[in-house]
Amino acid sequence: MKENSNRKKAGIILQKLARVLLWLYLAAVGIIVLHYGRRIFVADRFRIPSWSMAPTLVPGDHVWVNKLLFGARLYTSLDFQDHAPLKSIRMPGLRKIRPGDIIVFNFPFGFNDWSKVEFKINYVFCKRVLGTPGDTISIVDGINRNHGFPGIIGIEESQKRLGSIPDSILAAGNCLMAVPLSHPIWTVRNLGPLYVPQKGTTVHLDSIGRYLYQPVIEYETGQSMTDMQEYTFQQNWYFAVGDNCTDSQDSRYWGFIPEDFIIGIVVSHLLPHI
C-alpha cells in the first residue's frame, strides 16, 4: 500500500512539474512573439553611428522609430542575398511623412553603386525629410527650403555656416557638387528648384532631367532608361538631409529615397549613457 501511495505522489509531482515546464515554455514563446511583433509592427530602436544629424542626434544615441505612424513595412520575401530586390507591402499608417520629420531608412544605393538603387538589409541611415512626394525643394546659400512649407527645415545655424564656406574649401573636401553631378550650377549650397517624384505624376525630361531621374526610372521599371521625353512615376520618393549639413552624406549627393525603403519615423531618442 505504501509503495503504491509513493508512486501516486511521484506521479502527481511529475504532472505538476510538466505543467510548470509547459507554462514556462508558453511564456517564453509569448515573450519572443511580443518582442518581435513589437519590432515589426509597433516600434524599433536604432543606434546613431555618425555626426551627420548633430546636434539633434550624436554618435551613441539610440532612436525609437514608430512604425504605427507611417505603417509597418512587411517583407513578402525573405531573400536578402546580395542585390536581391526588395519585396514588401506597407501596412496602413496613422499619417503621412511630413517635411521636418526624422526618418530611418535603407540607404538607396545599398551596394555603393550610386547610379543604381538597390536594397541592402540592415544598411540604414537616419536623416531629416526636406521633400515629400510632389514637393519642390531648393537650397539657397545653404538654407533648406520646401516651397510648400513655411520656414527653415533643419538647424538654421548649421545651414548658415554651410552658406559661409567658400566653394574652394568645399571642393577640396570633395563635398561641393550636388546631384545631378553634371549640372553646371548646382552645389550643396545652392540647389534646385527640384521636384520630388510623386506616384502618378508625369514629368517632361530634358537632358538634365533624364540624368537626375535616371536611378528612379530604372529602379521602377527594372530596365535601362532610354532616351525618353517624359515619364510617369510609379512610386513615391523622398529627399532627406542631415542636420549637420557640412558633414552629412545625404540626398544632396545621391538623390531620392524610395518610399518602400523607409522603415519609420523617429519619435524619441535616448542619450548615449542610457
Side-chain angles (χ1 to χ4, degrees):
M1 291 289 296
K2 185 175 182 181
E3 183 178 349
N4 289 336
S5 176
N6 289 337
R7 287 178 179 177
K8 187 175 181 180
K9 290 180 180 179
I12 294 173
I13 292 172
L14 288 174
Q15 289 178 0
K16 291 181 177 180
L17 179 60
R19 285 197 293 268
V20 169
L21 292 175
L22 177 60
W23 279 110
L24 288 175
Y25 172 77
L26 292 175
V29 170
I31 290 171
I32 292 172
V33 169
L34 288 174
H35 171 72
Y36 285 101
R38 183 266 299 170
R39 292 187 61 185
I40 293 170
F41 293 101
V42 181
D44 203 356
R45 192 171 73 163
F46 295 84
R47 182 180 180 276
I48 301 300
S50 74
W51 292 96
S52 68
M53 282 296 293
T56 308
L57 301 168
V58 299
D61 283 357
H62 288 82
V63 296
W64 279 106
V65 173
N66 186 319
K67 296 185 177 183
L68 295 175
L69 289 178
F70 189 53
R73 181 183 66 183
L74 305 181
Y75 297 116
T76 58
S77 171
L78 299 180
D79 180 10
F80 299 131
Q81 299 178 20
D82 287 356
H83 306 282
L86 169 63
K87 296 180 180 180
S88 67
I89 59 173
R90 179 77 60 181
M91 297 288 289
L94 299 177
R95 70 168 176 87
K96 296 180 179 179
I97 291 174
R98 304 164 181 162
D101 281 339
I102 298 175
I103 58 172
V104 172
F105 55 93
N106 292 94
F107 180 52
F109 302 100
F111 295 93
N112 295 316
D113 178 357
W114 286 20
S115 67
K116 185 177 182 181
V117 176
E118 293 182 290
F119 175 80
K120 186 176 182 179
I121 189 73
N122 295 329
Y123 189 8
V124 298
F125 278 27
C126 179
K127 305 292 179 185
R128 188 181 299 277
V129 174
L130 176 55
T132 61
D135 290 344
T136 297
I137 60 99
S138 59
I139 299 175
V140 181
D141 295 330
I143 303 298
N144 297 332
R145 300 289 187 188
N146 182 308
H147 295 200
F149 186 88
I152 296 173
I153 296 174
I155 306 299
E156 183 176 5
E157 181 181 355
S158 297
Q159 296 170 34
K160 287 182 175 179
R161 184 166 60 249
L162 172 63
S164 68
I165 300 175
D167 284 355
S168 58
I169 295 178
L170 293 172
N174 294 321
C175 56
L176 173 64
M177 300 307 296
V179 58
L181 300 178
S182 62
H183 198 291
I185 300 175
W186 288 3
T187 69
V188 293
R189 294 197 297 116
N190 288 283
L191 177 155
L194 173 63
Y195 177 77
V196 182
Q198 182 179 37
K199 182 179 180 180
T201 300
T202 300
V203 292
H204 296 280
L205 301 172
D206 56 13
S207 59
I208 295 298
R210 281 190 290 273
Y211 184 89
L212 175 62
Y213 295 113
Q214 179 178 351
V216 172
I217 295 170
E218 292 186 348
Y219 176 76
E220 290 189 348
T221 63
Q223 301 175 355
S224 296
M225 190 179 73
T226 59
D227 191 24
M228 60 181 62
Q229 301 302 310
E230 65 177 29
Y231 180 75
T232 301
F233 296 112
Q234 301 175 20
Q235 299 186 31
N236 289 323
W237 297 72
Y238 296 78
F239 192 99
V241 296
D243 282 354
N244 185 11
C245 53
T246 58
D247 186 19
S248 173
Q249 183 189 120
D250 52 43
S251 289
R252 296 171 300 166
Y253 299 102
W254 36 254
F256 304 107
I257 305 161
E259 186 168 87
D260 52 2
F261 278 36
I262 294 176
I263 298 170
I265 301 170
V266 172
V267 291
S268 64
H269 78 278
L270 303 175
L271 299 178
H273 63 275
I274 294 179

